[in-house]
Amino acid sequence: PPSATRVPTKYLDFGQERIDYYAWLRDSKWPEVSNQKILDYLKQENEHVASYLSSYQKDIKELYNELKSR
């Protein structure tokens, strides 16, 4: 699986310092994402999940159709 880069971002909340290593994954224009680094990482994650689930497509379709019929 892809591994997100850890970029420390410091926040000061109520006198407590907090470090968020994945703050870079938040796009300020959300729900529109324009940051190419974020888009590239999400594409890698989506490709990994699709590859992992590819052998389960028959089961996924069967479950979907069963749930849809109820």
Side-chain angles (χ1 to χ4, degrees):
S3 180
T5 305
R6 291 172 47 110
V7 179
T9 303
K10 292 182 184 181
Y11 295 98
L12 186 62
D13 297 315
F14 304 104
Q16 296 286 332
E17 186 177 279
R18 177 175 62 90
I19 299 176
D20 183 354
Y21 292 99
Y22 303 101
W24 68 270
L25 286 168
R26 277 189 224 106
D27 194 316
S28 60
K29 297 177 183 175
W30 186 89
E32 294 294 324
V33 179
S34 59
N35 184 317
Q36 194 59 46
K37 287 183 181 182
I38 296 172
L39 292 171
D40 290 343
Y41 176 72
L42 292 175
K43 182 179 177 185
Q44 288 176 6
E45 276 195 347
N46 288 337
E47 288 172 353
H48 173 72
V49 170
S51 170
Y52 182 82
L53 294 177
S54 65
S55 63
Y56 298 103
Q57 286 306 310
K58 180 183 174 199
D59 298 325
I60 291 169
K61 287 180 183 178
E62 285 178 15
L63 283 170
Y64 173 77
N65 288 331
E66 181 179 340
L67 291 171
K68 189 175 166 185
S69 70
R70 293 175 184 231

